[in-house]
Amino acid sequence: MYAWAKNAAATHIPKDVGFRIGKDSGIKYLVLQIHYAKRIPESAEKDYSGLSLDITEHQRKYLGGILLMLATHIQIPPHQTKVHADISCRYTGETDLYPFAYRTHAHELAFVITGYHHDDSGYHLLGKGNPQWPQAFYPMNETHRIKPKDNLVGRCTYNSESRDKTTFVGPTHTDEMCNFYMMYYTDARYGKAFHRCFGNNEPNLVASLPPGSDTPLPPNPLLDAIAHGHHHGSSMAGGHDQEEQNWTPMKKILDKEEHPQNVYGGSEDVNAEPEPDKTAGEEEKESPVGGSEENPATPGCSTKHGCKVTQFGLKSPNNPKPKTDLNKESSGLPDGLSLHVVKNWPKLNNLQLGQIAGIATDSKGNVHIFHRGTRTWDSGSFSVVTNEFNPDLIREGPIQAPTLLTFDQDGKIIKQWGEKMFYMPHGLTIDHDDNIWVTDVAMHQVFKFNASSGKKLKVFGEQFKPGQDLAHFCKPTDVAVLRSGEFYVADGYCNHRIMKFSKDWKVVKVWGNVSKRKGTDGYPLPTDFYVPHGLALAEDKKILCVADRENGRIQCFDLDGNFKYQTHPREFGNTLYAVTYSPHNGGLLYAVNNADPGDNIVSQGFTLSIDTGLLLDTWKPSSQGFGRPHDLAVSPDGKSVYVVEIGPNKVTKFTSSFNEGIHQTVKKGMIIHKPDDAVDVIQKDEHTAPETHLSDSATPIVVGVMLIVPVVVVIIVSVVLKLKRSGKCLGNRRLSYNDSRFNLGNFFNKHKGFKQLYTDEMEHLNSEDSDIEEFDVVETRKT
């Protein structure tokens, strides 16, 4: 929301712009974090640093937000006069952003940080700052409008002449950082309060940066003095003396009639209001619902072959934004399938867990987890250029603690192993023979172990050697194994591909890559991945589903890698970390996301139908959701789901009490993208009948009705005749009340005392959702 450093002045935002907090914003807490460069002596005056915020309950017209540009790889050799750390990415949001202020941040070595907006017309300077000067949000020098699919580029430049060793990214003042913040406003209805641009994802844009991106700003002794606390004319709260008006060279307030949104100071007498829907001189244009010619059709699909791309939960004029938190009533999920947290599971008995990367269940229902002990994956673990594991960590050796733990269904630990074997655990899979498969992203390898003995059966990949060819992996994330012995590997973080292997470990097929191509829905085209992070194998359906992490979706393929469909409800947010499958109840997918701050959603779990891709339910351990969920697994009986997190490092068990084979669903609105790119918006809110094994064809029904009607007529005639003969005809007023209640079955059946066998399959007759009026259960059993 806000950042401030080095005695900078206070920040004010434009009129009618606000940061949304509380209620349904997804922001439940305000957290103040203060970093000190040096320890404060005990003899010094007490420190009362803080922050004052103006809060109102009145709805603002525009949503305020922060876009953070951050370099993920910083490696600064010693004794250098100029070293760069670069940032670049494409803006993937759905609404236009109007940045009005920026802030630069680094540590001791950086002397200039520059941010650019890039579109079809070229580069546009957003801001340029010296991070050694007071770090506030300074106003932009001109109006900017960042549209979806535009690019953002940033550069930090360092001088390391004073250093005798290499400097890396880190939190202390002897480490370095590279941050360029933008404060913006956007559409309050559909906009997001936080966006991020991490890493150098568009290196060609960095290579073409305009001259001067690393040229320092002119010297300013006054700003240097303020930053180091030697100037008292400007207080931490933001002084208003004459000197303050001169010490901000980047502060250029434009005429409010020309650019009213850039009036920077929060003056309440500013009558002009920002207009996010259009810029000056620009006519309003309708966005085509079906996309444009810039977005190619799905490859390999044609009307002739009937290839259909199904995508759910997209925004359209006729498909309102779904609720953030679906409940049983809105999802149509029966009570028996709703997931509930199991408290005090597992029983760790003071056992300390590290980052828990993987989880799986075996055929007995035991739960296995794969954790990292005291090792953590941070920005210094890998080279961003080569993806090689940090040599210092290799020299430290493998993780000393047992990394593989097994719990029974009650949460009691029954086995620990895997010590001194792994460097950075990630994926965990258990096949149909209960063999254990794991991936280690540091070693760039996939391992297969015998579960009972722990003996290593097979290993693929070259230790500590990432690669793109068929003999190497690069940070593989997960494995899925067929009963035939064939298996799939998600070669995730670098190669962004899925590899299928034969049972003798030979590569059969490879698909997937990173691409800038977009479909009509704004998502990358099918088979394009951005970190395939998890696999779910539905062998009974002949489907393999992939958690396409950074694209925030699930892609599903047949067992040969041919695309079938994808699903990306809004509730997923920007990332979808893991997916698993249960064949029970017609086939269900369970998944977890990992929401970004300001997404207006929480990190939570999802239940989806594998046949339709429809979102049936969401679930989470509390109203705040998960912390940082990373993987999940489902029990063999389909009644329990387990989620592991890498911060806080914990396992959460959820359980349900479904009755196998009896379930209903309520279909929610969805959009089906047909091969010709036509869009059909389908809204359904009806209960489907309980599942049976009858054919869906109408022909048997018609034939059945034709056969039943004559029988019913014969029965009615027989009843009337017999009533007349027995004197029980109502017209003769001779009906006896001493007999038991009239029952058609008893009337014809003279061999009383026998009851029809009552089975669980008849339970749906008593359902409150049945269209048949409830009647006496005892008599029903008799008939």
Side-chain angles (χ1 to χ4, degrees):
M1 179 182 291
Y2 183 66
W4 171 97
K6 296 182 179 290
N7 293 326
T11 297
H12 303 277
I13 59 178
K15 181 183 177 181
D16 220 2
V17 174
F19 290 80
R20 187 182 297 133
I21 60 174
K23 291 188 177 179
D24 60 349
S25 68
I27 306 299
K28 304 301 182 185
Y29 301 95
L30 295 179
V31 179
L32 177 66
Q33 187 178 60
I34 301 177
H35 294 250
Y36 294 90
K38 299 178 182 179
R39 184 183 300 274
I40 299 177
E42 294 183 1
S43 59
E45 183 179 350
K46 290 185 178 180
D47 178 65
Y48 295 99
S49 297
L51 182 67
S52 296
L53 300 174
D54 293 325
I55 298 178
T56 178
E57 293 183 352
H58 298 290
Q59 179 70 42
R60 302 287 92 179
K61 187 175 181 181
Y62 304 109
L63 176 67
I66 297 291
L67 190 152
L68 171 58
M69 299 171 63
L70 178 148
T72 56
H73 176 68
I74 301 175
Q75 186 170 331
I76 307 170
H79 310 300
Q80 301 295 313
T81 58
K82 189 176 288 187
V83 179
H84 295 149
D86 297 318
I87 313 164
S88 62
C89 66
R90 175 170 292 193
Y91 168 56
T92 58
E94 298 181 352
T95 61
D96 292 348
L97 303 183
Y98 294 82
F100 59 86
Y102 72 98
R103 172 183 179 261
T104 62
H105 174 69
H107 294 169
E108 294 180 354
L109 301 184
F111 59 87
V112 63
I113 299 178
T114 315
Y116 294 90
H117 164 219
H118 177 269
D119 58 16
D120 293 338
S121 61
Y123 291 85
H124 310 280
L125 181 66
L126 294 169
K128 186 174 186 178
N130 183 341
Q132 304 307 320
W133 290 346
Q135 294 182 15
F137 277 92
Y138 293 100
M140 301 282 186
N141 284 343
E142 60 179 283
T143 302
H144 294 277
R145 177 187 180 187
I146 300 174
K147 302 181 295 296
K149 300 182 181 181
D150 285 355
N151 298 299
L152 298 167
V153 188
R155 166 165 284 177
C156 297
T157 307
Y158 306 89
N159 183 309
S160 64
E161 290 180 295
S162 62
R163 293 284 173 91
D164 294 324
K165 63 178 183 178
T166 300
T167 303
F168 298 93
V169 66
T172 73
H173 70 98
T174 58
D175 301 313
E176 267 304 339
M177 297 186 74
C178 175
N179 297 350
F180 186 93
Y181 298 81
M182 286 192 301
M183 192 177 287
Y184 62 83
Y185 62 82
T186 187
D187 189 309
R189 296 166 299 172
Y190 301 112
K192 289 171 46 178
F194 181 79
H195 290 280
R196 66 181 184 180
C197 174
F198 287 5
N200 187 8
N201 303 285
E202 306 285 345
N204 58 313
L205 294 176
V206 171
S208 305
L209 277 173
S213 63
D214 57 1
T215 302
L217 293 167
N220 193 315
L222 182 58
L223 288 181
D224 287 331
I226 295 172
H228 293 88
H230 303 311
H231 175 74
H232 302 287
S234 174
S235 68
M236 290 191 298
H240 295 282
D241 56 6
Q242 183 61 37
E243 283 186 301
E244 183 196 3
Q245 304 301 319
N246 299 321
W247 62 252
T248 312
M250 292 79 74
K251 185 174 181 179
K252 179 182 177 183
I253 300 179
L254 304 182
D255 185 283
K256 68 180 180 181
E257 294 181 358
E258 180 182 0
H259 297 293
Q261 62 268 42
N262 275 357
V263 176
Y264 193 73
S267 176
E268 290 300 322
D269 61 354
V270 179
N271 296 318
E273 296 179 350
E275 182 56 61
D277 295 325
K278 58 183 178 179
T279 55
E282 182 182 25
E283 295 182 0
E284 295 186 15
K285 299 178 181 179
E286 279 193 332
S287 300
V289 175
S292 65
E293 294 180 359
E294 297 177 359
N295 300 316
T298 304
C301 293
S302 65
T303 305
K304 177 180 177 181
H305 295 95
C307 177
K308 181 170 67 176
V309 183
T310 308
Q311 299 164 338
F312 307 92
L314 307 177
K315 185 184 78 173
S316 75
N318 298 317
N319 185 20
K321 185 178 180 181
K323 296 180 180 179
T324 300
D325 187 10
L326 299 178
N327 53 34
K328 290 186 300 180
E329 182 178 350
S330 64
S331 70
L333 199 70
D335 291 337
L337 284 179
S338 297
L339 293 172
H340 310 281
V341 174
V342 177
K343 296 182 179 180
N344 301 318
W345 199 102
K347 300 172 177 62
L348 295 176
N349 297 325
N350 298 320
L351 177 66
Q352 295 297 316
L353 298 177
Q355 292 181 331
I356 312 174
I359 186 168
T361 59
D362 61 27
S363 60
K364 299 176 182 178
N366 295 323
V367 181
H368 303 248
I369 68 170
F370 196 26
H371 77 113
R372 297 171 182 161
T374 57
R375 183 159 291 164
T376 59
W377 186 348
D378 56 32
S379 56
S381 299
F382 294 87
S383 167
V384 177
V385 177
T386 66
N387 290 302
E388 293 179 336
F389 195 50
N390 188 328
D392 293 335
L393 296 177
I394 295 177
R395 284 189 288 270
E396 285 183 11
I399 299 168
Q400 299 298 300
T403 54
L404 286 155
L405 310 179
T406 306
F407 300 87
D408 64 17
Q409 298 180 48
D410 295 326
K412 297 178 181 178
I413 189 164
I414 56 179
K415 188 175 182 179
Q416 301 184 55
W417 64 288
E419 62 271 19
K420 301 179 182 179
M421 295 177 64
F422 304 106
Y423 287 79
M424 191 64 74
H426 199 278
L428 170 62
T429 300
I430 298 179
D431 64 23
H432 300 92
D433 296 321
D434 282 346
N435 295 310
I436 293 178
W437 301 63
V438 298
T439 70
D440 188 311
V441 291
M443 302 171 77
H444 305 285
Q445 289 179 306
V446 173
F447 301 87
K448 178 182 178 181
F449 294 91
N450 179 279
S452 57
S453 66
K455 179 182 177 181
K456 186 189 299 182
L457 302 177
K458 204 79 173 178
V459 61
F460 193 96
E462 185 176 358
Q463 189 177 79
F464 301 122
K465 296 294 183 182
Q468 298 178 340
D469 58 29
L470 299 183
H472 291 84
F473 298 121
C474 187
K475 298 179 184 174
T477 53
D478 202 9
V479 179
V481 186
L482 292 166
R483 291 183 180 272
S484 64
E486 298 173 292
F487 64 97
Y488 305 85
V489 175
D491 193 15
Y493 284 98
C494 326
N495 293 327
H496 310 283
R497 64 185 180 181
I498 305 298
M499 304 179 72
K500 182 178 181 180
F501 292 81
S502 65
K503 62 181 180 181
D504 53 356
W505 292 63
K506 293 181 180 179
V507 178
V508 175
K509 186 172 183 178
V510 179
W511 72 94
N513 61 282
V514 175
S515 173
K516 298 179 182 178
R517 301 176 302 166
K518 300 282 184 172
T520 55
D521 60 350
Y523 280 76
L525 292 177
T527 73
D528 287 349
F529 299 112
Y530 193 4
V531 187
H533 198 255
L535 299 176
L537 181 61
E539 196 163 358
D540 60 323
K541 304 279 187 179
K542 295 181 172 57
I543 290 177
L544 175 74
C545 292
V546 182
D548 188 3
R549 194 181 96 172
E550 295 302 308
N551 286 328
R553 63 182 175 177
I554 297 173
Q555 294 196 62
C556 294
F557 305 83
D558 67 20
L559 299 184
D560 293 321
N562 299 306
F563 177 79
K564 293 184 69 69
Y565 68 86
Q566 62 177 326
T567 179
H568 43 72
R570 281 186 176 274
E571 287 81 1
F572 282 3
N574 291 327
T575 57
L576 196 284
Y577 266 58
V579 61
T580 191
Y581 172 71
S582 172
H584 299 279
N585 295 283
L588 297 175
L589 291 174
Y590 296 96
V592 288
N593 66 349
N594 196 329
D596 289 331
D599 267 355
N600 293 333
I601 61 174
V602 296
S603 295
Q604 58 188 337
F606 309 93
T607 305
L608 307 99
S609 165
I610 194 171
D611 292 327
T612 65
L614 293 172
L615 177 61
L616 303 178
D617 198 14
T618 62
W619 37 273
K620 49 187 179 287
S622 66
S623 59
Q624 283 75 37
F626 293 103
R628 295 174 63 195
H630 194 262
D631 196 15
L632 79 168
V634 62
S635 60
D637 61 8
K639 293 185 178 182
S640 299
V641 176
Y642 305 87
V643 178
V644 294
E645 302 183 55
I646 56 173
N649 306 324
K650 65 179 182 179
V651 190
T652 304
K653 178 179 180 179
F654 296 82
T655 188
S656 63
S657 57
F658 69 82
N659 188 359
E660 177 64 48
I662 301 173
H663 60 280
Q664 299 177 343
T665 59
V666 176
K667 294 184 178 179
K668 299 186 67 63
M670 61 182 178
I671 294 181
I672 296 178
H673 285 258
K674 297 180 179 179
D676 58 0
D677 286 338
V679 180
D680 293 336
V681 179
I682 303 174
Q683 291 286 0
K684 293 186 178 181
D685 192 20
E686 57 187 12
H687 290 275
T688 62
E691 283 195 0
T692 67
H693 296 288
L694 298 177
S695 170
D696 292 332
S697 173
T699 302
I701 298 175
V702 174
V703 174
V705 171
M706 294 177 65
L707 293 174
I708 290 172
V709 169
V711 175
V712 171
V713 172
V714 171
I715 290 174
I716 293 174
V717 172
S718 300
V719 169
V720 172
L721 292 175
K722 192 158 187 175
L723 283 173
K724 286 186 176 182
R725 293 192 192 103
S726 61
K728 293 183 179 181
C729 181
L730 290 177
N732 296 332
R733 301 181 183 272
R734 294 173 58 184
L735 180 64
S736 171
Y737 289 94
N738 296 325
D739 296 335
S740 62
R741 182 168 31 171
F742 176 75
N743 179 281
L744 187 61
N746 291 337
F747 185 77
F748 283 104
N749 182 18
K750 297 182 180 181
H751 301 282
K752 296 182 181 181
F754 294 91
K755 296 181 180 179
Q756 181 177 343
L757 181 64
Y758 186 62
T759 63
D760 291 340
E761 284 76 8
M762 296 177 64
E763 189 69 47
H764 67 276
L765 293 175
N766 301 322
S767 170
E768 294 179 358
D769 295 328
S770 175
D771 294 332
I772 304 173
E773 197 169 329
E774 185 174 336
F775 54 98
D776 187 85
V777 178
V778 175
E779 299 301 328
T780 303
R781 294 181 182 180
K782 290 181 180 179
T783 59

